[in-house]
Amino acid sequence: MAEFLYRVGRWSARRAKTVVVAWLAILVAAGVAFALGAGTLATTFSIPGTPTAEVTDRLQSDFPDASGGTGTVVVQSADGEELTAAQQDEIAGLVADASEVDGVTAVMDPFVTEADRATQQQQVEDGRAQVEAGRTQLETGQAQLDAGRAQLEAGQAQLDAARAQAEAAGMLAQAQPQLDAQQATIDQGLAALETQQTAVDDGASQLEEQSAQLEQGATLLDMASEIRMVSEDGTTAIVMISFTDPQMEIPQETKDELVSVFDAAPADLDVHLSADMTMGAPSIIGVGEIVGLLVAAVVLVVMLGTLIGAGLPILTALIGVGIGALGALSLSGVVEMASVTPVLGLMLGLAVGIDYSLFIVNRHRRQLKAGDELHESIALANGTSGNAVVFAGTTVLVALLALNVTGIPFLGLMGTVGAACIAIAVLIAVTLTPALLGLVGTRILSAKERARLAGTVTGGSGAATHGAQEAHGATPAPAEIRPMSTGWAVVRVVVGIAALLLVALPALDLRLNLPDGSTEPHDSTQYQAYSTLAEKFGEGQNGTLLVVADLPAAEAGSEAESMTAQVEIAQALFDQDDVVAVAPIGTSEDGTVAAFQVVPAEGPTSESTEELVHTLRDMSPIDGTYEIGVAGSASGNVDISEKLASALPVYLAVVVGLSLIILVLVFRSIFVPVIATLGFILSYFAALGGVVAIYQWGWLGGVFGVESPGPILNFLPTILVGILFGLAMDYMLFLGSGMREAYAHGAPARLAVVQGVRAGRSVVTAAAIIMIAVFGGFIFSHSAMIRPIGFALAFGVLVDAFVIRMMVVPALMHLAGDKAWWLPRWLDKILPDVDVEGASLERRHPHVTAGVAEAAPEDDLDKDTAGVRG
């Protein structure tokens, strides 16, 4: 690979314009593809196969009216007073305009809804009064029937007595016709009474049935009483919008058009749109990101000494992320892509793109200062440092692609897009960077450096030798270097590990979810909508749940039985802790599916709501009859967080195994890969601990712009594994390879540790600062999803580079001594020789002047490790 890259570098330098034009053509092509193929980015996340997804899919097929997503718009009077009749009319106008938007199935006028509720309540009261009146009438009628029956019974008694007297007197035959006539009259009266009694009984039965239905309706109204569309003080109203598409699939165009409608609201109304209405794609570049780039530019100027040298890595990185981001966005029309995906690719592409180009530029500059011919220096820098860049980029690429093993589609796509951006950064580093170096020529050096180089070349071989040693960053002779003391090594290990363990402790309290309106900046419309809903209507209104129940076929066929079943289900749901309201949404056309809106006591990301989701699912089947399922945004977020949490250990195990294999190949050691991998795990959890402390607990919230702490972005821990692993391997490679080469060239193990650190620390320090600056720029992004990712990556790089790689690992290797490089003989025989730093290439291609070639033997170590350092 080193020899191939050497030839690529030489070819690119000699055909610089061709290479530059080719990459610019690719950038233009990516822009055209973006213009033609870009689609809508998803602002929500879903995972097929989760309980929420299954319920949503079923609703789409069996109950499409309840399967669409919803949006919330909060409207207040601008003066804080009760909404007037004129303002209510203005709201009605907004509702009518919003109803005309494509993709919207219904928009609820809050005042009409409240009027309907009041009408229903009045109907219940009127119905109860009518029932009581009916009962009074029935009781009166029953009393009359009872009195008539008593009279007839008394007449019957008198008739029976007269009959007995006539029989005793022997006059029965003469009295019989009269007695029979009287009996017929009594019988007719009794028959009439029975008919009337049947009518009264039927009336009573119907009245009780009506009363039962009325009480069922009253019960449902009572359970839904906390679901208000207008606040109790009359100052705030909620406009509920129903969409044709499910929540996860609402087109951004539909949301944008609705935003335009409500942006045109009259000045006497304050309109706030909830996060589910306004969460679009985060901005690609903001002020924070630009500041991060400026910091990186300052670091490059300080390290490289020239504006051209500093600008070249930034230019190549920008071209790379332009191609990567535009290329990814061009696929958003055919692939469901989360809005954060291209931003993640941008973040990675900028950071590694600058660093990878820096490694090659820095090596080339050192070689030029040593007197190398321009194209030969570019080729050799590409074959040595470029080889290390390819290896380092491959580790990051593989780690990101491994996100696909989690089985989570949107996370796998993030990893794939991130890997593509890394691949582009590597390709640009080993082709476009040599081409640009060829174009700028010796101007990559400052005027003083060029003057010094001219004087050095004319000054003879001895001067050239000294210049080569200085330019290549040769470490002082072994006699001038002393290993660290064992006591100091112990202190470094104890302090470093203890500090990181302390920082990692908050990770034990890690809670995962997706950001909601409560985590947005307090001046944003999303936060205003969230806080207003919580204040005026209760926190649970921000994260209602959708419960779907199966009704048996027998009950589905009867309206009365269906109503009874709905009341039973609603009552069972309402009786649960942390449920403040339940309202039936309706039933499917065949009556076999009923849907309910459940309002929890707290917000969608609270622990109580998360527990409530599990509690409701555990209730199924209710009364052993009604199977239920839970859906909704809050439920979906819970499912995604749990799915991600369960996938994290598997992914972490894959990455750790990959880390051990790569490091064993590179360092031909058992001890070094183990401590390097354990160090990565420690820095990973330290990064998570920092994220929890700031974004979940709210520590230093004012510094980092965290106004409302909450759960951590649910896919952050997983994505952090892949990215931080790749970057940690970069730093371990550039520092550890120097130690390995020094030890292989005969330096004592403990001395080799110091030589390796001194050889690589400058470039690793610069690279780490650049990455921290780039990632740190995203900490102040406007997107609540991007901010914690930027912090986690910046803080993770900080602790891994400066605490683990430069402090703890060297100290542990000092304590291990020669044992640090022990490898079983059988394993040593089967392992391939991975010449990451391209030392063999340097031996095949001498790259210094004759005088430099005659340098002292100790310079060999510097030449062999220059690829690592530069």
Side-chain angles (χ1 to χ4, degrees):
M1 175 62 74
E3 182 68 33
F4 172 75
L5 291 173
Y6 172 90
R7 294 175 181 176
V8 169
R10 178 177 286 275
W11 184 89
S12 298
R14 290 180 173 177
R15 294 169 175 78
K17 293 182 179 179
T18 301
V19 175
V20 171
V21 170
W23 278 112
L24 290 178
I26 294 173
L27 178 60
V28 171
V32 172
F34 166 74
L36 297 177
T40 301
L41 295 175
T43 57
T44 51
F45 301 87
S46 63
I47 300 178
T50 60
T52 297
E54 291 173 354
V55 171
T56 302
D57 291 342
R58 178 162 182 213
L59 283 173
Q60 287 183 276
S61 60
D62 296 346
F63 198 177
D65 291 343
S67 66
T70 59
T72 305
V73 180
V74 182
V75 185
Q76 289 183 295
S77 58
D79 57 6
E81 299 296 326
E82 184 175 353
L83 290 162
T84 64
Q87 289 172 324
Q88 294 179 24
D89 291 339
E90 291 170 350
I91 293 173
L94 293 173
V95 168
D97 292 341
S99 301
E100 301 299 321
V101 174
D102 289 339
V104 172
T105 57
V107 182
M108 295 173 58
D109 185 319
F111 296 97
V112 172
T113 302
E114 289 298 327
D116 290 343
R117 184 208 297 271
T119 300
Q120 293 173 352
Q121 190 65 48
Q122 187 60 49
Q123 288 174 345
V124 168
E125 297 301 325
D126 292 345
R128 283 172 171 167
Q130 292 173 2
V131 167
E132 289 302 318
R135 283 176 177 159
T136 301
Q137 291 177 353
L138 288 174
E139 289 172 359
T140 301
Q142 185 65 52
Q144 291 174 350
L145 287 175
D146 292 341
R149 184 174 286 105
Q151 290 176 356
L152 289 175
E153 289 174 351
Q156 183 68 55
Q158 292 175 356
L159 181 61
D160 291 341
R163 190 185 301 278
Q165 291 176 357
E167 186 176 0
M171 301 290 293
L172 182 60
Q174 292 86 346
Q176 189 68 44
Q178 183 180 1
L179 292 174
D180 289 343
Q182 292 177 359
Q183 185 65 55
T185 301
I186 291 174
D187 291 342
Q188 289 175 357
L190 288 174
L193 285 177
E194 289 301 325
T195 301
Q196 295 174 10
Q197 184 65 56
T198 300
V200 169
D201 291 342
D202 289 345
S205 177
Q206 292 176 2
L207 191 64
E208 290 308 316
E209 184 177 343
Q210 292 174 1
S211 177
Q213 292 177 352
L214 191 66
E215 291 307 316
Q216 287 176 339
T219 299
L220 292 177
L221 281 175
D222 289 342
M223 287 189 287
S225 61
E226 293 299 318
I227 306 178
R228 299 186 304 274
M229 295 294 104
V230 179
S231 62
E232 291 182 345
D233 60 8
T235 63
T236 310
I238 301 175
V239 177
M240 293 298 300
I241 301 173
S242 299
F243 296 95
T244 304
D245 298 307
Q247 194 74 44
M248 307 295 181
E249 302 173 13
I250 301 172
Q252 188 62 40
E253 292 83 356
T254 300
K255 295 182 181 180
D256 292 342
E257 193 170 347
L258 283 171
V259 170
S260 298
V261 168
F262 288 99
D263 279 347
D268 60 345
L269 297 176
D270 287 338
V271 178
H272 308 298
L273 289 83
S274 62
D276 50 16
M277 291 280 292
T278 57
M279 283 183 64
S283 59
I284 298 296
I285 289 290
V287 175
E289 292 84 344
I290 294 174
V291 171
L293 278 178
L294 292 176
V295 173
V298 171
V299 174
L300 289 169
V301 169
V302 171
M303 182 177 183
L304 300 178
T306 66
L307 292 177
I308 291 179
L312 194 148
I314 293 178
L315 175 62
T316 56
L318 289 176
I319 292 175
V321 297
I323 294 171
L326 292 174
L329 289 170
S330 69
L331 299 176
S332 60
V334 294
V335 177
E336 184 176 339
M337 182 178 295
S339 59
V340 72
T341 301
V343 180
L344 183 64
L346 170 71
M347 194 185 302
L348 288 174
L350 274 178
V352 302
I354 294 173
D355 276 3
Y356 290 169
S357 182
L358 167 64
F359 296 148
I360 296 173
V361 171
N362 189 49
R363 172 62 186 266
H364 170 59
R365 278 172 39 82
R366 290 181 173 181
Q367 292 171 171
L368 281 183
K369 288 190 289 185
D372 286 12
E373 188 272 330
L374 177 65
H375 289 167
E376 179 66 18
S377 175
I378 294 172
L380 191 63
N382 212 50
T384 52
S385 290
N387 193 46
V389 162
V390 170
F391 185 86
T394 301
T395 61
V396 184
L397 185 147
V398 171
L400 289 172
L401 287 178
L403 284 169
N404 288 279
V405 306
T406 62
I408 300 172
F410 78 83
L411 195 60
L413 184 59
M414 283 185 192
T416 301
V417 169
C421 289
I422 296 295
I424 293 169
V426 171
L427 289 173
I428 284 183
V430 298
T431 57
L432 184 58
T433 299
L436 293 176
L437 288 175
L439 287 176
V440 301
T442 58
R443 286 176 296 169
I444 196 71
L445 302 176
S446 66
K448 291 182 179 180
E449 288 171 334
R450 293 197 298 271
R452 187 183 303 118
L453 176 60
T456 299
V457 171
T458 60
S461 62
T465 300
H466 176 76
Q469 292 174 341
E470 180 183 359
H472 285 284
T475 57
E480 301 175 17
I481 299 179
R482 295 181 182 179
M484 73 180 78
S485 67
T486 300
W488 178 235
V490 172
V491 170
R492 290 173 60 159
V493 171
V494 172
V495 171
I497 293 178
L500 292 187
L501 286 175
L502 183 64
V503 174
L505 282 178
L508 297 174
D509 190 40
L510 175 67
R511 287 187 58 240
L512 301 177
N513 213 302
L514 280 171
D516 56 21
S518 66
T519 61
E520 297 293 335
H522 284 193
D523 60 350
S524 66
T525 184
Q526 301 98 313
Y527 179 82
Q528 293 297 324
Y530 185 98
S531 59
T532 301
L533 280 175
E535 177 187 355
K536 299 292 186 178
F537 301 92
E539 288 187 40
Q541 192 68 42
N542 283 294
T544 58
L545 302 174
L546 177 65
V547 174
V548 178
D550 292 331
L551 303 182
E555 296 181 0
S558 167
E559 183 176 347
E561 291 179 347
S562 176
M563 174 64 76
T564 300
Q566 290 184 60
V567 172
E568 290 178 6
I569 296 168
Q571 189 65 58
L573 299 175
F574 187 72
D575 290 341
Q576 302 306 306
D577 294 337
D578 297 317
V579 172
V580 298
V582 177
I585 296 175
T587 58
S588 59
E589 290 186 2
D590 60 4
T592 60
V593 179
F596 303 84
Q597 180 186 14
V598 177
V599 180
E602 296 185 305
T605 61
S606 67
E607 293 184 67
S608 65
T609 300
E610 182 178 344
E611 293 173 1
L612 177 61
V613 170
H614 295 298
T615 299
L616 295 179
R617 287 173 175 164
D618 292 341
M619 290 173 57
S620 184
I622 294 177
D623 297 336
T625 303
Y626 310 109
E627 296 283 349
I628 66 170
V630 183
S633 296
S635 169
N637 292 347
V638 169
D639 289 343
I640 293 172
S641 299
E642 292 179 350
K643 180 75 171 178
L644 288 164
S646 64
L648 179 58
V650 175
Y651 180 57
L652 185 58
V654 170
V655 169
V656 167
L658 180 65
S659 169
L660 289 172
I661 293 172
I662 291 173
L663 294 178
V664 168
L665 284 172
V666 173
F667 297 119
R668 309 187 77 82
S669 162
I670 298 297
F671 180 78
V672 176
V674 169
I675 63 170
T677 302
L678 292 177
F680 154 68
I681 294 173
L682 187 55
S683 61
Y684 168 74
F685 282 104
L688 279 186
V691 170
V692 171
I694 292 173
Y695 292 91
Q696 183 176 316
W697 292 357
W699 292 5
L700 301 177
V703 176
F704 294 96
V706 182
E707 297 173 303
S708 300
I712 302 305
L713 182 65
N714 51 23
F715 60 82
L716 187 151
T718 308
I719 203 78
L720 181 62
V721 171
I723 299 172
L724 190 57
F725 160 74
L727 302 181
M729 292 306 99
D730 283 0
Y731 303 137
M732 193 65 211
L733 170 67
F734 284 101
L735 287 172
S737 292
M739 302 177 192
R740 172 68 188 176
E741 285 300 309
Y743 180 73
H745 282 77
R750 291 181 173 177
L751 190 62
V753 171
V754 179
Q755 290 178 336
V757 171
R758 291 194 178 188
R761 64 186 175 187
S762 62
V763 71
V764 169
T765 298
I769 292 174
I770 288 170
M771 282 201 175
I772 293 169
V774 173
F775 291 145
F778 289 86
I779 293 175
F780 302 99
S781 168
H782 190 68
S783 170
M785 284 193 289
I786 299 299
R787 291 195 295 267
I789 296 177
F791 174 83
L793 292 175
F795 188 62
V797 168
L798 174 69
V799 298
D800 192 86
F802 294 107
V803 180
I804 294 296
R805 306 302 154 192
M806 292 189 185
M807 180 177 175
V808 175
V809 168
L812 287 172
M813 293 184 67
H814 172 88
L815 295 176
D818 291 333
K819 295 179 181 178
W821 303 108
W822 175 81
L823 185 70
R825 290 184 178 179
W826 63 268
L827 184 56
D828 186 50
K829 292 180 180 179
I830 64 174
L831 287 179
D833 183 15
V834 181
D835 183 19
V836 175
E837 68 285 345
S840 61
L841 179 69
E842 292 186 275
R843 290 190 288 270
R844 290 194 300 271
H845 296 275
H847 59 97
V848 292
T849 62
V852 176
E854 297 170 0
E858 59 265 23
D859 293 340
D860 291 342
L861 171 62
D862 180 64
K863 288 186 286 184
D864 284 341
T865 59
V868 179
R869 295 192 302 273

mmCIF file of all heavy atoms in Angstrom, residues 20 85 208 215 221 264 274 279 285 345 416 430 434 451 461 465 511 558 627 631 637 711 717 757 792:
data_model
loop_
_atom_site.group_PDB
_atom_site.id
_atom_site.type_symbol
_atom_site.label_atom_id
_atom_site.label_comp_id
_atom_site.label_asym_id
_atom_site.label_seq_id
_atom_site.Cartn_x
_atom_site.Cartn_y
_atom_site.Cartn_z
ATOM 1 N N VAL A 20 -7.110 18.415 -9.502
ATOM 2 C CA VAL A 20 -7.951 19.469 -8.936
ATOM 3 C C VAL A 20 -9.253 19.595 -9.720
ATOM 4 O O VAL A 20 -10.342 19.674 -9.140
ATOM 5 C CB VAL A 20 -7.192 20.809 -8.922
ATOM 6 C CG1 VAL A 20 -8.138 21.945 -8.540
ATOM 7 C CG2 VAL A 20 -6.017 20.753 -7.960
ATOM 8 N N ALA A 85 -63.979 37.652 21.560
ATOM 9 C CA ALA A 85 -64.759 37.062 20.465
ATOM 10 C C ALA A 85 -64.090 37.333 19.121
ATOM 11 O O ALA A 85 -64.062 36.462 18.235
ATOM 12 C CB ALA A 85 -66.177 37.612 20.477
ATOM 13 N N GLU A 208 -84.063 2.686 32.020
ATOM 14 C CA GLU A 208 -82.824 2.258 32.671
ATOM 15 C C GLU A 208 -81.707 2.046 31.657
ATOM 16 O O GLU A 208 -80.547 2.337 31.925
ATOM 17 C CB GLU A 208 -83.076 0.962 33.455
ATOM 18 C CG GLU A 208 -83.955 1.143 34.684
ATOM 19 C CD GLU A 208 -83.451 2.250 35.598
ATOM 20 O OE1 GLU A 208 -82.208 2.310 35.829
ATOM 21 O OE2 GLU A 208 -84.259 3.061 36.065
ATOM 22 N N GLU A 215 -75.079 7.380 31.603
ATOM 23 C CA GLU A 215 -74.019 7.356 32.616
ATOM 24 C C GLU A 215 -72.691 6.918 32.019
ATOM 25 O O GLU A 215 -71.626 7.384 32.452
ATOM 26 C CB GLU A 215 -74.417 6.433 33.768
ATOM 27 C CG GLU A 215 -75.579 6.960 34.613
ATOM 28 C CD GLU A 215 -75.322 8.379 35.118
ATOM 29 O OE1 GLU A 215 -74.196 8.664 35.572
ATOM 30 O OE2 GLU A 215 -76.239 9.209 35.020
ATOM 31 N N LEU A 221 -67.023 11.356 29.600
ATOM 32 C CA LEU A 221 -66.786 12.796 29.649
ATOM 33 C C LEU A 221 -65.967 13.175 30.881
ATOM 34 O O LEU A 221 -65.074 14.031 30.810
ATOM 35 C CB LEU A 221 -68.118 13.552 29.661
ATOM 36 C CG LEU A 221 -68.827 13.714 28.314
ATOM 37 C CD1 LEU A 221 -70.191 14.373 28.511
ATOM 38 C CD2 LEU A 221 -67.973 14.557 27.361
ATOM 39 N N ALA A 264 -48.581 33.990 9.691
ATOM 40 C CA ALA A 264 -49.375 35.133 9.230
ATOM 41 C C ALA A 264 -50.487 35.491 10.216
ATOM 42 O O ALA A 264 -51.406 36.249 9.872
ATOM 43 C CB ALA A 264 -49.982 34.815 7.863
ATOM 44 N N SER A 274 -45.394 23.622 18.196
ATOM 45 C CA SER A 274 -44.694 22.586 18.941
ATOM 46 C C SER A 274 -43.572 21.971 18.110
ATOM 47 O O SER A 274 -43.487 22.169 16.899
ATOM 48 C CB SER A 274 -45.676 21.487 19.370
ATOM 49 O OG SER A 274 -46.237 20.861 18.231
ATOM 50 N N MET A 279 -39.686 20.831 13.830
ATOM 51 C CA MET A 279 -38.382 20.178 13.804
ATOM 52 C C MET A 279 -38.033 19.787 12.384
ATOM 53 O O MET A 279 -38.463 18.761 11.870
ATOM 54 C CB MET A 279 -38.374 18.936 14.715
ATOM 55 C CG MET A 279 -38.262 19.263 16.190
ATOM 56 S SD MET A 279 -38.167 17.778 17.212
ATOM 57 C CE MET A 279 -36.626 17.092 16.653
ATOM 58 N N ILE A 285 -24.286 24.723 8.638
ATOM 59 C CA ILE A 285 -23.204 25.542 9.184
ATOM 60 C C ILE A 285 -23.802 26.700 9.965
ATOM 61 O O ILE A 285 -24.689 27.407 9.473
ATOM 62 C CB ILE A 285 -22.301 26.086 8.056
ATOM 63 C CG1 ILE A 285 -21.477 24.959 7.448
ATOM 64 C CG2 ILE A 285 -21.356 27.162 8.580
ATOM 65 C CD1 ILE A 285 -20.390 24.414 8.346
ATOM 66 N N GLY A 345 -22.146 13.528 9.152
ATOM 67 C CA GLY A 345 -21.127 13.363 8.123
ATOM 68 C C GLY A 345 -20.282 14.607 7.973
ATOM 69 O O GLY A 345 -19.054 14.529 7.804
ATOM 70 N N THR A 416 -23.237 4.545 7.690
ATOM 71 C CA THR A 416 -22.845 4.431 6.288
ATOM 72 C C THR A 416 -22.481 5.791 5.703
ATOM 73 O O THR A 416 -21.472 5.935 5.001
ATOM 74 C CB THR A 416 -23.985 3.793 5.478
ATOM 75 O OG1 THR A 416 -24.284 2.495 6.022
ATOM 76 C CG2 THR A 416 -23.594 3.639 4.016
ATOM 77 N N VAL A 430 -5.059 11.724 -0.017
ATOM 78 C CA VAL A 430 -3.948 11.071 -0.728
ATOM 79 C C VAL A 430 -3.913 11.408 -2.215
ATOM 80 O O VAL A 430 -3.029 10.919 -2.922
ATOM 81 C CB VAL A 430 -4.014 9.542 -0.539
ATOM 82 C CG1 VAL A 430 -3.878 9.169 0.935
ATOM 83 C CG2 VAL A 430 -5.297 8.957 -1.112
ATOM 84 N N PRO A 434 -1.690 15.972 -2.349
ATOM 85 C CA PRO A 434 -0.443 16.008 -3.137
ATOM 86 C C PRO A 434 -0.535 16.930 -4.345
ATOM 87 O O PRO A 434 0.447 17.606 -4.690
ATOM 88 C CB PRO A 434 -0.271 14.550 -3.563
ATOM 89 C CG PRO A 434 -1.007 13.760 -2.555
ATOM 90 C CD PRO A 434 -2.184 14.604 -2.166
ATOM 91 N N ALA A 451 14.485 30.637 2.882
ATOM 92 C CA ALA A 451 15.826 31.243 2.914
ATOM 93 C C ALA A 451 16.809 30.362 3.675
ATOM 94 O O ALA A 451 17.956 30.161 3.252
ATOM 95 C CB ALA A 451 15.751 32.627 3.554
ATOM 96 N N SER A 461 27.513 19.312 3.457
ATOM 97 C CA SER A 461 26.809 18.129 3.950
ATOM 98 C C SER A 461 26.580 18.175 5.437
ATOM 99 O O SER A 461 25.572 17.706 5.933
ATOM 100 C CB SER A 461 27.594 16.863 3.573
ATOM 101 O OG SER A 461 28.869 16.883 4.191
ATOM 102 N N THR A 465 23.070 17.760 7.101
ATOM 103 C CA THR A 465 22.739 16.724 8.081
ATOM 104 C C THR A 465 22.034 17.326 9.280
ATOM 105 O O THR A 465 21.002 16.822 9.749
ATOM 106 C CB THR A 465 24.021 16.004 8.540
ATOM 107 O OG1 THR A 465 24.629 15.407 7.421
ATOM 108 C CG2 THR A 465 23.693 14.949 9.574
ATOM 109 N N ARG A 511 -29.910 8.336 31.191
ATOM 110 C CA ARG A 511 -31.266 8.100 30.709
ATOM 111 C C ARG A 511 -31.339 8.514 29.251
ATOM 112 O O ARG A 511 -30.830 9.565 28.873
ATOM 113 C CB ARG A 511 -32.308 8.898 31.509
ATOM 114 C CG ARG A 511 -32.566 8.382 32.907
ATOM 115 C CD ARG A 511 -33.733 9.129 33.559
ATOM 116 N NE ARG A 511 -34.937 9.001 32.749
ATOM 117 C CZ ARG A 511 -35.594 10.042 32.222
ATOM 118 N NH1 ARG A 511 -35.162 11.271 32.390
ATOM 119 N NH2 ARG A 511 -36.680 9.840 31.496
ATOM 120 N N SER A 558 -72.582 -4.944 18.320
ATOM 121 C CA SER A 558 -73.632 -4.257 19.070
ATOM 122 C C SER A 558 -73.106 -2.919 19.550
ATOM 123 O O SER A 558 -72.058 -2.860 20.199
ATOM 124 C CB SER A 558 -74.072 -5.116 20.270
ATOM 125 O OG SER A 558 -74.850 -4.355 21.169
ATOM 126 N N GLU A 627 -57.217 -7.135 24.283
ATOM 127 C CA GLU A 627 -55.787 -6.939 23.992
ATOM 128 C C GLU A 627 -55.561 -5.477 23.625
ATOM 129 O O GLU A 627 -56.320 -4.904 22.838
ATOM 130 C CB GLU A 627 -55.359 -7.834 22.825
ATOM 131 C CG GLU A 627 -55.455 -9.325 23.105
ATOM 132 C CD GLU A 627 -54.302 -9.815 23.968
ATOM 133 O OE1 GLU A 627 -53.342 -9.040 24.162
ATOM 134 O OE2 GLU A 627 -54.364 -10.975 24.430
ATOM 135 N N ALA A 631 -49.062 3.286 21.369
ATOM 136 C CA ALA A 631 -48.298 3.978 20.335
ATOM 137 C C ALA A 631 -48.243 5.454 20.692
ATOM 138 O O ALA A 631 -48.578 5.857 21.808
ATOM 139 C CB ALA A 631 -48.914 3.754 18.954
ATOM 140 N N ASN A 637 -40.497 6.849 21.227
ATOM 141 C CA ASN A 637 -39.187 7.216 21.751
ATOM 142 C C ASN A 637 -38.697 6.240 22.797
ATOM 143 O O ASN A 637 -37.499 5.926 22.870
ATOM 144 C CB ASN A 637 -39.242 8.627 22.335
ATOM 145 C CG ASN A 637 -39.447 9.686 21.269
ATOM 146 O OD1 ASN A 637 -39.315 9.406 20.081
ATOM 147 N ND2 ASN A 637 -39.773 10.891 21.683
ATOM 148 N N PRO A 711 -33.203 13.935 29.347
ATOM 149 C CA PRO A 711 -32.544 12.692 28.939
ATOM 150 C C PRO A 711 -31.592 12.910 27.779
ATOM 151 O O PRO A 711 -31.715 13.867 27.012
ATOM 152 C CB PRO A 711 -33.730 11.791 28.521
ATOM 153 C CG PRO A 711 -34.913 12.374 29.219
ATOM 154 C CD PRO A 711 -34.670 13.846 29.283
ATOM 155 N N PRO A 717 -24.927 7.366 22.633
ATOM 156 C CA PRO A 717 -23.921 6.412 23.131
ATOM 157 C C PRO A 717 -23.440 5.443 22.058
ATOM 158 O O PRO A 717 -22.256 5.074 22.041
ATOM 159 C CB PRO A 717 -24.672 5.677 24.256
ATOM 160 C CG PRO A 717 -25.716 6.640 24.697
ATOM 161 C CD PRO A 717 -26.152 7.337 23.455
ATOM 162 N N VAL A 757 6.796 9.102 22.342
ATOM 163 C CA VAL A 757 5.906 10.201 22.713
ATOM 164 C C VAL A 757 6.436 11.516 22.174
ATOM 165 O O VAL A 757 5.691 12.328 21.608
ATOM 166 C CB VAL A 757 5.738 10.270 24.240
ATOM 167 C CG1 VAL A 757 4.993 11.545 24.634
ATOM 168 C CG2 VAL A 757 4.977 9.050 24.745
ATOM 169 N N ALA A 792 -19.932 15.490 23.178
ATOM 170 C CA ALA A 792 -19.419 14.150 23.474
ATOM 171 C C ALA A 792 -18.165 13.853 22.668
ATOM 172 O O ALA A 792 -17.188 13.305 23.196
ATOM 173 C CB ALA A 792 -20.501 13.107 23.182
#
